[in-house]
Amino acid sequence: MTQGDDASERTLNNESRVSTDTVGLYTALGVDRDATPDELKRAYRRLALQYHPDRNLGRSHSSSDFVRIQLAYDVLSDARRRRIYNRYGEIGVQMAGRMGGDLLDPLVSSVLSTLALASACIAVLLIVFFALLARRVDGSVEWPFVVVFAPLWAADLVVGGVLVWARIKGTLFESSEPSDSDDEDEDDEAGVDGCATDATPLLSGQSAPRQRRASRRRRLRNARKCAEAQVAKVATAAPAMYLLLVVAFQVALVLRLDNHVTWPALLVATPWLVLEAIHFVQLTLQLTAGALYIREQAAHGERTFKRILVLAGNTFWWLAIRVSLVFLVTAKFDERIVWSWPFVFAPTYLPCVWWAIALCLLPQQLRSMNGDSEMRQNAAMIVRTCIFAFSVVASIVYSFVALLAWRLSQPWAVRLAL
């Protein structure tokens, strides 16, 4: 919060009557509710000169009028606080400065309401879809799969509508605040496509080795910024591409299940593999930016290969599991392998092993943690909560995996619907 925001908030707190009136500040400046920022600025300058205490010595009301005018301009010149004032009045502006005050912003509340409604609709449609799918697989109904998948396609339409709405609003894919990850980089000039240019001159007083290190760090920083700009571009277009590819995969699957085509399972899964390829490109750009940052922050002569290797593993391990599972499942359906279904689902066991090892190492890290007894107790409570949550989620997920493998191995032994 800026100094002006603090001053205006103190003024609001000191007002004898903080109301929900949404026109009083506009009246103080003598402008309409739909006044432009330029009109607000002109009105403020004119009234500030007219009511400034230095020009109205002996007039007791001029000081209070000037404070009121200053408050009105501080609130209405800020887009966010103006939206809050237009909805809730001065009391809304006062509450907006407290914890959770962002929820009073009509733009934020609109986004949250839309996402909540869309999530509820998608959840209901998915429940209906899985219920119909279970009855169709069990043979309780003989509907074509194009009918069974109708709720899923309706969910796709909801997701598409949210993406279009978010694109129009510009609230989900475009950040309104500049990144502050590196304060020392704020003065760098941006080049083509968001890539920084190496325009910082070398200081003549530096020694040659220090000049070379400084030049190397600038090159790494500029390359990292270029990679981050590319990541942002891919991330902006990725949701729409993901949705189109998911719908293409669903259409291919329905055509195959209804025997309209005789494509092999690998061909049916091609849209999904294309989706994973796009995700691979996005992760590669993120890894490039992360590796450049590690090299940029490394001390002179420090080896960074191990840290970059760990970063690559953390970046690609989940993608590798998904892709390997797709290839194994399609190979099983196409009868290119004779493994049993529990072995086909083996990649799904690896995340459980990974997280189990991480949870087992948490107590050891807790014992080596510095701090007082209360901090240790809080950390121990968090560890126990994580272990309990992991146990519950893992039990549910892998019970479903086991039942699915059993159902695929012995279709007559397990019913999906009650």
Side-chain angles (χ1 to χ4, degrees):
M1 183 179 294
T2 63
Q3 184 177 359
D5 295 342
D6 292 335
S8 59
E9 184 178 354
R10 287 195 298 269
T11 305
L12 285 173
N13 291 333
N14 294 331
E15 288 284 332
S16 59
R17 49 184 180 83
V18 179
S19 67
T20 57
D21 176 32
T22 60
V23 297
L25 297 185
Y26 290 101
T27 303
L29 291 178
V31 296
D32 297 330
R33 280 174 57 91
D34 57 352
T36 64
D38 290 336
E39 292 174 345
L40 290 173
K41 184 180 296 186
R42 286 195 298 267
Y44 167 70
R45 288 178 176 175
R46 175 176 53 82
L47 293 174
L49 290 174
Q50 180 180 349
Y51 290 98
H52 197 281
D54 293 342
R55 302 185 61 179
N56 294 272
L57 298 178
R59 297 184 180 179
S60 58
H61 67 278
S62 63
S63 178
S64 60
D65 291 341
F66 180 77
V67 171
R68 183 68 176 174
I69 294 168
Q70 180 71 46
L71 167 65
Y73 182 70
D74 287 343
V75 172
L76 300 180
S77 61
D78 184 281
R80 170 180 166 273
R81 302 177 76 199
R82 183 177 181 177
R83 289 194 300 266
I84 296 174
Y85 175 78
N86 289 342
R87 176 70 66 87
Y88 303 105
E90 294 179 27
I91 192 171
V93 178
Q94 178 181 339
M95 295 177 62
R98 302 174 182 175
M99 182 177 296
D102 288 338
L103 297 178
L104 294 175
D105 189 341
L107 189 60
V108 175
S109 59
S110 173
V111 171
L112 294 178
S113 301
T114 302
L115 292 180
L117 178 61
S119 300
C121 294
I122 292 173
V124 171
L125 291 170
L126 290 179
I127 291 173
V128 174
F129 165 69
F130 283 114
L132 294 178
L133 182 63
R135 292 180 62 83
R136 177 63 178 85
V137 172
D138 287 341
S140 301
V141 295
E142 297 297 330
W143 299 336
F145 279 96
V146 66
V147 176
V148 174
F149 273 69
L152 188 59
W153 287 330
D156 295 336
L157 287 177
V158 174
V159 175
V162 171
L163 292 178
V164 172
W165 172 84
R167 189 65 175 175
I168 295 174
K169 288 286 186 179
T171 57
L172 297 183
F173 301 121
E174 296 180 2
S175 175
S176 60
E177 296 182 359
S179 175
D180 55 354
S181 59
D182 264 327
D183 293 338
E184 63 181 6
D185 299 342
E186 290 180 352
D187 296 331
D188 285 347
E189 297 180 2
V192 180
D193 296 332
C195 299
T197 59
D198 192 5
T200 305
L202 293 175
L203 298 179
S204 58
Q206 290 182 336
S207 62
R210 291 189 62 183
Q211 288 183 354
R212 287 195 295 270
R213 288 195 296 269
S215 177
R216 175 179 176 273
R217 290 194 64 180
R218 280 196 301 274
R219 289 196 301 270
L220 291 172
R221 180 169 62 248
N222 296 340
R224 172 175 60 84
K225 287 189 173 184
C226 185
E228 290 174 349
Q230 300 304 319
V231 169
K233 287 184 177 181
V234 175
T236 301
M241 292 189 293
Y242 288 168
L243 179 61
L244 292 176
L245 290 170
V246 167
V247 173
F249 169 70
Q250 294 168 1
V251 171
L253 183 60
V254 167
L255 291 175
R256 180 66 181 85
L257 292 174
D258 285 337
N259 295 320
H260 294 301
V261 295
T262 58
W263 298 337
L266 184 60
L267 182 59
V268 173
T270 298
W272 191 273
L273 294 176
V274 174
L275 183 152
E276 297 292 2
I278 296 174
H279 194 207
F280 173 78
V281 173
Q282 187 175 4
L283 292 179
T284 301
L285 292 172
Q286 293 177 359
L287 175 62
T288 302
L292 290 171
Y293 180 77
I294 290 175
R295 294 185 61 191
E296 176 189 343
Q297 299 299 321
H300 179 62
E302 180 183 356
R303 295 184 179 275
T304 59
F305 176 76
K306 184 177 180 180
R307 294 172 59 188
I308 295 176
L309 188 62
V310 172
L311 178 63
N314 292 332
T315 302
F316 288 110
W317 73 278
W318 185 235
L319 174 66
I321 288 175
R322 294 199 307 269
V323 173
S324 60
L325 182 62
V326 170
F327 278 109
L328 287 175
V329 170
T330 55
K332 177 64 176 177
F333 276 117
D334 290 337
E335 298 182 351
R336 295 196 304 271
I337 58 176
V338 294
W339 300 348
S340 62
W341 280 105
F343 284 101
V344 171
F345 287 115
T348 62
Y349 312 146
L350 296 180
C352 181
V353 175
W354 178 283
W355 288 320
I357 293 175
L359 288 175
C360 290
L361 295 177
L362 278 180
Q364 181 180 357
Q365 298 175 359
L366 179 61
R367 286 192 293 269
S368 61
M369 184 181 67
N370 297 325
D372 54 16
S373 58
E374 183 178 357
M375 184 181 297
R376 289 175 177 270
Q377 291 176 359
N378 293 336
M381 178 63 68
I382 294 175
V383 170
R384 286 194 290 269
T385 304
C386 291
I387 292 175
F388 175 77
F390 171 76
S391 302
V392 173
V393 174
S395 300
I396 295 174
V397 171
Y398 289 102
S399 295
F400 172 76
V401 172
L403 288 174
L404 181 61
W406 188 12
R407 178 66 172 78
L408 291 171
S409 300
Q410 302 178 9
W412 63 88
V414 181
R415 288 181 57 86
L416 297 180
L418 298 179

